[in-house]
Amino acid sequence: MKPANNNRPALQDTVVPPDFETVGAAGVAQPHISARGINVYYGDKHAIKNVSLDIAKNEVIAMIGPSGCGKSTFLRCLNRMNDTIEGCRVSGAVTLDGENIYGKKMDVVELRARVGMVFQKPNPFPKSIYDNVAYGPRIHGLAAGRHELDEIVHTSLEKAGLLHEVIDRLDDPGVGLSGGQQQRLCIARAIAVNPEVILMDEPCSALDPIATARIEELIDELRRNYAISIVTHSMQQAARVSQRTAYFHLGSLIEVGETQAIFTNPGHTLTEQYITGRFG
Amino acid sequence: MNSPNHHPDGGPRNGPNNGPRSGPNNGANDGTNSGATTLDKVRGGLARRYRAEKRFRAAGLASIVAGMAFVMLLFGAIISAAAGAFTQTSFTLDVRLDESAFAGHAASPQALQDALANADYRALLNRSLYSLFPEDRARRDKKALRGLVSSGAAFDLREQVAADPAVIGTAIRFRALADDEADLFYKGKIDRNLPENRRRLSDRQISRLDRLAADGRVERHFNRSLFTRGDSREPERAGLLGALTGSFFALLVAFLLSFPIGIATAVYLEEFAPRNRLTDFIEVNINNLAAVPSIIFGLLGLAVFLNFFGLPRSSSLVGGIVLALMTLPTIIIAGRAALKAVPPSIREAALAMGASPMQTVLQHTLPLAMPGVLTGAVIGMAQALGESAPLLMIGMVAFIADVPQNFTDPATALPVQVYLWANQAERAFTELAAAATLVLLLFLIAMNLGAVLLRKKFERRW
Ligand SMILES: Nc1ncnc2c1ncn2[C@@H]1O[C@H](COP(=O)(O)OP(=O)(O)O)[C@@H](O)[C@H]1O
Ligand SMILES: [Mg+2]
């Protein structure tokens, strides 16, 4: 972070009052995932402050904001990956198709089969390409036999746009692929269990522009079947792939709305300053 | 992070700090420090940096050479001391197996067994020995002659006859094992020029040994009994098999106990246990256990397993349990380190795919940690193999001639055998102790090699 070289206080340190109201409509008509009043604490640190946000069917929603503002934390609330972090407490309600995912009846294994995730750094298992994609269907018992499993693996790789590149080396280790291919492998792995929602946490930040473009194309295609929530630090990317955009600042959801509207006519000064590049 | 003045502006401010250090080496630059550009300063320091690097490398190389030299020295000393123990000497004697010595052997199979059991093989051997030296008539001369042959030779003769009773009534060629002193003499370890009272072979005995050699009756051969027999009071008949078996049983017990318990502990502490006072306390104690002198574990074994639970004294079972306790901390610590080294992204990937925590551990984390876990286990086992102190406390130090047949039989272990033999008066035992040390070292090398191969097999990159 560069020190501010003028006399104004650094904008990223602007304190948002606790009773701050998000600019724009958090809800949508047909929510797939609906988060209400989410607060997340890491020990004493209040990382997400009273955030409410919906994700609609067949939409890509982008989450942007300066680093450390809680985008990843919020994303991990949606498939309960925060459960695995020691000292992390989540309060509020998240519903998936009307079902409370933090409720007693919800099983995390089932939840994570329904809400897939792709991480910032491609993290294929140190297994073969085939086994990477087949892993989810195997542990969830989705394929009746070898034949069916083959089919799932093929269609998933196809949807991830990787099939023709790896068709003749499915038994090679997944970690032997290039960074962009690895990330598409991870996407194939995530969609192999046919989830309803895919969460992507800066999926392109470790990739070169060409690989990034491929993934962006892919995201646009995947939107037909899945709801996608993507965290990105690139505003251009948010503008290219998403229909709605949510801007986070220091744990608060400052503004959410149509991507077009946010980028052309932001409703909050913080949003404006972020997208015009004052800080980031 | 949020206060700009935390970041000093970099290069120029560091200049004055570097100045005095580069000064002594660099007279030309010293006075004009303020005028010199950064590039000049960097160049001025380069030669010094390269020199320092050279010294650093040379020191590393020298350490390696010194270390290797010590290893060579160690192995050289042990091998040269042990070499003799791998061969031994026998005399070829013509032994007449008179029918009269096996009275009634032809009557029935039972009678044959009795006759074989009761025959005086020693007398038969002695007679053939005396016949070679008819001039040795006096009692003490005969006694000196008898002393050249191992007292175990009579047992060998019995075995040979029992294996083929048809030879009764004929004369056979028999390889009588030489006594350890005679053996040492032939190996050149007894100086015949010493005054007679300063060596254990008399002049007369030496002349007899020379005659036997001249007659071609002396044969040097591989010391098979070193690997096929248990301990003995006679160095020429003492073998390592008992100690090897004891070590094997004890290590097996130790491995079967400590490996699963160690892995389960490491996995639980690393992957499942919450971080709190209790787990911190447990961690500190495990680290402490790793540093406890091994003899303490022996005391514990004595007090708990022998005196309280009444398990059999001197048995490889108790030895193994004690060694397992000793190895546990090593395996746990190595296992945790290996688990910690598995990238969290792999765990996240598995969990995000909907794997349960147990599936994540069993299918991803543990297999990836296996090389490290195995290395820890092998290091622990190697320590256990070389450990003698705790075994002394639980009585695995007794003289045990029989090779143990199971976990509860009295047994010794390799390092204890080294210790026992090194304490014996006969010089031949010194050789044996060195040989046992060598065997121990070979086993350690084999184990470490096994660990390397296992590592290779499991190694993955990510
Ligand atoms: N595991 C954690 N333990 C403690 N604090 C964390 C942890 N993860 C994130 N945080 C803190 O929570 C805040 C939000 O982090 P994060 O969600 O990763 O931000 P972003 O993804 O927007 O960069 C940051 O201040 C970060 O330091
Ligand atoms: Mg993040």
Side-chain angles (χ1 to χ4, degrees):
Chain A
M1 232 178 277
K2 263 188 250 146
N5 48 7
N6 51 27
N7 294 332
R8 274 194 302 159
L11 271 162
Q12 62 263 47
D13 294 331
T14 309
V15 178
V16 182
D19 55 348
F20 174 81
E21 293 261 348
T22 302
V23 178
V28 295
Q30 276 194 320
H32 204 109
I33 285 191
S34 173
R36 288 292 173 270
I38 300 292
N39 283 285
V40 181
Y41 299 84
Y42 292 110
D44 293 335
K45 186 180 165 57
H46 198 172
I48 292 289
K49 298 167 187 160
N50 197 25
V51 169
S52 300
L53 186 64
D54 281 1
I55 300 174
K57 293 203 164 85
N58 300 341
E59 82 161 357
V60 177
I61 180 165
M63 301 183 180
I64 58 172
S67 66
C69 69
K71 307 175 297 283
S72 302
T73 302
F74 179 73
L75 202 67
R76 284 198 305 262
C77 291
L78 306 180
N79 64 348
R80 288 183 58 177
M81 280 300 278
N82 281 333
D83 291 12
T84 64
I85 296 173
E86 190 138 353
C88 180
R89 280 176 300 126
V90 179
S91 68
V94 181
T95 56
L96 173 65
D97 286 332
E99 236 180 303
N100 182 6
I101 71 165
Y102 284 92
K104 286 218 163 55
K105 278 196 284 176
M106 177 56 74
D107 186 85
V108 272
V109 168
E110 186 201 316
L111 170 69
R112 289 180 191 151
R114 291 170 66 184
V115 182
M117 188 158 196
V118 175
F119 294 84
Q120 176 169 2
K121 196 171 149 264
N123 56 356
F125 299 127
K127 298 173 184 282
S128 71
I129 294 172
Y130 184 96
D131 287 339
N132 261 286
V133 184
Y135 184 71
R138 274 188 182 134
I139 59 170
H140 296 299
L142 300 184
R146 176 79 199 191
H147 186 70
E148 214 170 309
L149 191 61
D150 283 350
E151 200 158 306
I152 294 179
V153 170
H154 278 97
T155 43
S156 307
L157 285 170
E158 174 77 64
K159 280 192 212 162
L162 191 62
L163 185 64
H164 67 279
E165 290 167 50
V166 299
I167 182 73
D168 48 357
R169 47 173 176 150
L170 287 178
D171 291 327
D172 286 6
V175 286
L177 298 172
S178 75
Q181 288 175 323
Q182 285 190 23
Q183 195 61 301
R184 277 180 282 148
L185 178 62
C186 292
I187 293 175
R189 180 177 67 188
I191 60 187
V193 294
N194 208 14
E196 297 160 29
V197 182
I198 303 177
L199 311 175
M200 298 186 174
D201 192 349
E202 304 196 20
C204 302
S205 64
L207 305 183
D208 61 77
I210 294 173
T212 301
R214 297 247 16 202
I215 305 259
E216 286 178 6
E217 268 170 47
L218 179 59
I219 290 171
D220 208 48
E221 277 163 40
L222 292 174
R223 178 163 71 92
R224 273 185 259 148
N225 302 312
Y226 310 99
I228 295 171
S229 170
I230 178 172
V231 169
T232 172
H233 59 235
S234 150
M235 280 165 286
Q236 291 82 350
Q237 183 169 64
R240 283 193 298 262
V241 300
S242 71
Q243 285 73 55
R244 282 200 309 149
T245 295
Y247 173 67
F248 285 79
H249 186 95
L250 282 182
S252 299
L253 176 58
I254 301 299
E255 182 167 357
V256 56
E258 299 291 323
T259 301
Q260 279 269 281
I262 293 246
F263 281 99
T264 52
N265 188 17
H268 194 283
T269 30
L270 281 170
T271 321
E272 187 198 334
Q273 279 160 352
Y274 180 71
I275 63 178
T276 53
R278 295 281 170 76
F279 58 86
Chain B
M1 237 208 196
N2 44 20
S3 77
N5 53 7
H6 270 237
H7 301 273
D9 223 22
R13 283 252 227 98
N14 289 339
N17 296 339
N18 278 344
R21 276 206 285 143
S22 62
N25 290 328
N26 219 321
N29 233 0
D30 207 22
T32 59
N33 213 356
S34 52
T37 67
T38 310
L39 193 60
D40 288 337
K41 283 184 201 161
V42 170
R43 283 201 182 131
L46 271 184
R48 181 172 48 85
R49 265 199 256 169
Y50 284 136
R51 272 200 304 280
E53 171 143 354
K54 261 198 190 133
R55 276 198 301 275
F56 185 71
R57 285 192 191 196
L61 213 61
S63 314
I64 291 178
V65 169
M68 289 305 289
F70 279 123
V71 169
M72 298 296 233
L73 199 67
L74 177 78
F75 266 83
I78 294 174
I79 290 174
S80 70
F86 291 97
T87 60
Q88 60 184 175
T89 312
S90 287
F91 301 119
T92 312
L93 298 180
D94 302 300
V95 181
R96 276 197 1 255
L97 304 165
D98 295 337
E99 300 257 0
S100 58
F102 300 87
H105 69 94
S108 68
Q110 185 55 46
L112 175 64
Q113 292 306 317
D114 290 344
L116 285 173
N118 296 330
D120 190 348
Y121 298 95
R122 191 168 298 256
L124 292 174
L125 265 182
N126 288 344
R127 208 182 310 149
S128 80
L129 193 60
Y130 300 153
S131 70
L132 291 176
F133 302 97
E135 68 275 29
D136 287 341
R137 285 262 180 68
R139 271 179 78 109
R140 48 187 293 257
D141 291 344
K142 283 185 170 177
K143 186 169 177 231
L145 212 47
R146 287 201 303 271
L148 299 179
V149 175
S150 165
S151 55
F155 300 110
D156 294 339
L157 182 58
R158 179 167 78 186
E159 267 170 37
Q160 193 169 331
V161 177
D164 179 20
V167 296
I168 294 174
T170 66
I172 57 168
R173 308 215 89 190
F174 174 66
R175 285 200 332 191
L177 201 54
D179 185 66
D180 55 311
E181 291 296 329
D183 183 51
L184 286 176
F185 174 76
Y186 287 124
K187 285 174 184 163
K189 302 218 169 136
I190 288 179
D191 184 3
R192 66 169 78 221
N193 299 324
L194 277 178
E196 189 172 13
N197 58 0
R198 295 202 30 211
R199 50 179 145 81
R200 293 176 69 170
L201 289 177
S202 65
D203 288 342
R204 198 180 180 91
Q205 280 177 312
I206 286 181
S207 77
R208 299 296 175 264
L209 290 175
D210 286 339
R211 275 248 305 272
L212 283 166
D215 290 352
R217 289 187 179 276
V218 174
E219 192 190 343
R220 186 93 166 262
H221 53 88
F222 179 65
N223 182 2
R224 267 183 60 213
S225 54
L226 186 59
F227 298 101
T228 55
R229 283 189 210 278
D231 200 4
S232 167
R233 292 294 185 208
E234 308 293 333
E236 67 275 15
R237 283 175 66 85
L240 276 174
L241 189 61
L244 276 173
T245 318
S247 270
F248 173 76
F249 280 142
L251 277 193
L252 192 64
V253 171
F255 181 77
L256 290 180
L257 283 176
S258 61
F259 193 63
I261 298 179
I263 289 190
T265 311
V267 165
Y268 185 79
L269 286 178
E270 201 55 43
E271 304 287 323
F272 296 105
R275 292 243 146 274
N276 56 27
R277 289 256 169 85
L278 181 65
T279 45
D280 284 350
F281 179 74
I282 291 174
E283 176 161 4
V284 167
N285 275 291
I286 288 172
N287 291 340
N288 278 343
L289 272 187
V292 166
S294 57
I295 197 157
I296 307 290
F297 288 99
L299 282 171
L300 177 98
L302 176 64
V304 176
F305 301 123
L306 297 188
N307 295 344
F308 187 75
F309 287 115
L311 292 176
R313 183 171 296 274
S314 304
S315 66
S316 39
L317 175 67
V318 177
I321 297 176
V322 169
L323 292 178
L325 290 180
M326 220 193 70
T327 329
L328 256 181
T330 312
I331 294 186
I332 295 173
I333 292 169
R336 291 189 66 177
L339 287 167
K340 218 175 249 161
V342 174
S345 64
I346 296 292
R347 283 185 200 91
E348 275 186 341
L351 290 172
M353 285 308 297
S356 67
M358 193 188 84
Q359 282 173 325
T360 306
V361 166
L362 293 186
Q363 295 170 355
H364 299 283
T365 327
L366 196 54
L368 292 176
M370 230 16 168
V373 174
L374 284 176
T375 312
V378 171
I379 290 172
M381 286 295 123
Q383 266 174 14
L385 178 62
E387 200 55 71
S388 55
L391 303 183
L392 303 185
M393 297 308 298
I394 56 153
M396 282 183 84
V397 68
F399 169 77
I400 292 152
D402 292 327
V403 175
Q405 300 298 313
N406 56 45
F407 294 101
T408 51
D409 281 349
T412 49
L414 271 177
V416 181
Q417 191 70 73
V418 172
Y419 168 79
L420 284 172
W421 282 349
N423 274 343
Q424 296 280 345
E426 285 94 335
R427 273 181 57 193
F429 273 118
T430 320
E431 262 187 357
L432 283 173
T437 312
L438 196 60
V439 170
L440 183 62
L441 284 175
L442 289 180
F443 269 92
L444 290 177
I445 290 173
M447 282 171 81
N448 286 326
L449 208 65
V452 171
L453 292 180
L454 279 173
R455 265 187 91 98
K456 279 257 166 64
K457 184 166 149 45
F458 277 102
E459 203 132 69
R460 292 249 171 71
R461 56 193 199 87
W462 46 71

